[in-house]
PDB file of all heavy atoms in Angstrom:
ATOM      1  N   LEU S 430     -47.064   6.159 296.595  1.00 96.00           N
ATOM      2  CA  LEU S 430     -45.905   5.276 296.714  1.00 96.00           C
ATOM      3  C   LEU S 430     -46.307   3.892 296.209  1.00 96.00           C
ATOM      4  O   LEU S 430     -47.313   3.336 296.650  1.00 96.00           O
ATOM      5  CB  LEU S 430     -45.447   5.198 298.162  1.00 96.00           C
ATOM      6  CG  LEU S 430     -44.213   4.329 298.449  1.00 96.00           C
ATOM      7  CD1 LEU S 430     -42.950   5.093 298.085  1.00 96.00           C
ATOM      8  CD2 LEU S 430     -44.175   3.922 299.926  1.00 96.00           C
ATOM      9  N   ILE S 431     -45.510   3.340 295.308  1.00 97.00           N
ATOM     10  CA  ILE S 431     -45.769   2.017 294.729  1.00 97.00           C
ATOM     11  C   ILE S 431     -44.614   1.101 295.094  1.00 97.00           C
ATOM     12  O   ILE S 431     -43.454   1.397 294.774  1.00 97.00           O
ATOM     13  CB  ILE S 431     -45.908   2.080 293.194  1.00 97.00           C
ATOM     14  CG1 ILE S 431     -46.932   3.135 292.783  1.00 97.00           C
ATOM     15  CG2 ILE S 431     -46.250   0.709 292.640  1.00 97.00           C
ATOM     16  CD1 ILE S 431     -48.343   2.800 293.125  1.00 97.00           C
ATOM     17  N   VAL S 432     -44.901  -0.010 295.768  1.00 97.00           N
ATOM     18  CA  VAL S 432     -43.900  -1.014 296.124  1.00 97.00           C
ATOM     19  C   VAL S 432     -44.236  -2.290 295.355  1.00 97.00           C
ATOM     20  O   VAL S 432     -45.359  -2.796 295.455  1.00 97.00           O
ATOM     21  CB  VAL S 432     -43.872  -1.289 297.633  1.00 97.00           C
ATOM     22  CG1 VAL S 432     -42.803  -2.323 297.967  1.00 97.00           C
ATOM     23  CG2 VAL S 432     -43.624  -0.004 298.408  1.00 97.00           C
ATOM     24  N   THR S 433     -43.289  -2.798 294.594  1.00 96.00           N
ATOM     25  CA  THR S 433     -43.532  -3.958 293.743  1.00 96.00           C
ATOM     26  C   THR S 433     -43.012  -5.236 294.405  1.00 96.00           C
ATOM     27  O   THR S 433     -42.340  -5.195 295.434  1.00 96.00           O
ATOM     28  CB  THR S 433     -42.858  -3.773 292.376  1.00 96.00           C
ATOM     29  OG1 THR S 433     -41.432  -3.684 292.564  1.00 96.00           O
ATOM     30  CG2 THR S 433     -43.342  -2.500 291.698  1.00 96.00           C
ATOM     31  N   SER S 434     -43.332  -6.372 293.787  1.00 96.00           N
ATOM     32  CA  SER S 434     -42.955  -7.658 294.369  1.00 96.00           C
ATOM     33  C   SER S 434     -41.448  -7.854 294.411  1.00 96.00           C
ATOM     34  O   SER S 434     -40.948  -8.632 295.218  1.00 96.00           O
ATOM     35  CB  SER S 434     -43.607  -8.796 293.573  1.00 96.00           C
ATOM     36  OG  SER S 434     -43.272  -8.712 292.201  1.00 96.00           O
ATOM     37  N   SER S 435     -40.698  -7.178 293.567  1.00 96.00           N
ATOM     38  CA  SER S 435     -39.243  -7.279 293.599  1.00 96.00           C
ATOM     39  C   SER S 435     -38.624  -6.408 294.673  1.00 96.00           C
ATOM     40  O   SER S 435     -37.435  -6.528 294.965  1.00 96.00           O
ATOM     41  CB  SER S 435     -38.651  -6.881 292.239  1.00 96.00           C
ATOM     42  OG  SER S 435     -38.875  -5.506 291.987  1.00 96.00           O
ATOM     43  N   GLY S 436     -39.403  -5.504 295.261  1.00 96.00           N
ATOM     44  CA  GLY S 436     -38.882  -4.557 296.239  1.00 96.00           C
ATOM     45  C   GLY S 436     -38.615  -3.187 295.654  1.00 96.00           C
ATOM     46  O   GLY S 436     -38.381  -2.234 296.404  1.00 96.00           O
ATOM     47  N   SER S 437     -38.630  -3.057 294.326  1.00 97.00           N
ATOM     48  CA  SER S 437     -38.425  -1.752 293.697  1.00 97.00           C
ATOM     49  C   SER S 437     -39.533  -0.807 294.140  1.00 97.00           C
ATOM     50  O   SER S 437     -40.708  -1.155 294.105  1.00 97.00           O
ATOM     51  CB  SER S 437     -38.428  -1.891 292.173  1.00 97.00           C
ATOM     52  OG  SER S 437     -37.425  -2.795 291.756  1.00 97.00           O
ATOM     53  N   THR S 438     -39.142   0.399 294.543  1.00 97.00           N
ATOM     54  CA  THR S 438     -40.074   1.350 295.139  1.00 97.00           C
ATOM     55  C   THR S 438     -40.105   2.625 294.312  1.00 97.00           C
ATOM     56  O   THR S 438     -39.051   3.156 293.934  1.00 97.00           O
ATOM     57  CB  THR S 438     -39.659   1.670 296.589  1.00 97.00           C
ATOM     58  OG1 THR S 438     -39.591   0.445 297.329  1.00 97.00           O
ATOM     59  CG2 THR S 438     -40.649   2.596 297.259  1.00 97.00           C
ATOM     60  N   PHE S 439     -41.327   3.139 294.033  1.00 97.00           N
ATOM     61  CA  PHE S 439     -41.496   4.301 293.155  1.00 97.00           C
ATOM     62  C   PHE S 439     -42.472   5.284 293.791  1.00 97.00           C
ATOM     63  O   PHE S 439     -43.410   4.882 294.494  1.00 97.00           O
ATOM     64  CB  PHE S 439     -42.056   3.885 291.787  1.00 97.00           C
ATOM     65  CG  PHE S 439     -41.239   2.838 291.073  1.00 97.00           C
ATOM     66  CD1 PHE S 439     -41.429   1.495 291.342  1.00 97.00           C
ATOM     67  CD2 PHE S 439     -40.284   3.197 290.143  1.00 97.00           C
ATOM     68  CE1 PHE S 439     -40.693   0.517 290.699  1.00 97.00           C
ATOM     69  CE2 PHE S 439     -39.530   2.233 289.486  1.00 97.00           C
ATOM     70  CZ  PHE S 439     -39.729   0.892 289.767  1.00 97.00           C
ATOM     71  N   LEU S 440     -42.255   6.570 293.530  1.00 96.00           N
ATOM     72  CA  LEU S 440     -43.220   7.597 293.878  1.00 96.00           C
ATOM     73  C   LEU S 440     -43.641   8.271 292.571  1.00 96.00           C
ATOM     74  O   LEU S 440     -42.827   8.892 291.898  1.00 96.00           O
ATOM     75  CB  LEU S 440     -42.633   8.631 294.837  1.00 96.00           C
ATOM     76  CG  LEU S 440     -43.682   9.636 295.324  1.00 96.00           C
ATOM     77  CD1 LEU S 440     -44.549   9.006 296.412  1.00 96.00           C
ATOM     78  CD2 LEU S 440     -43.056  10.919 295.848  1.00 96.00           C
TER      79      LEU S 440
END
Side-chain angles (χ1 to χ4, degrees):
L430 181 79
I431 308 291
V432 181
T433 63
S434 56
S435 67
S437 302
T438 303
F439 304 85
L440 186 78

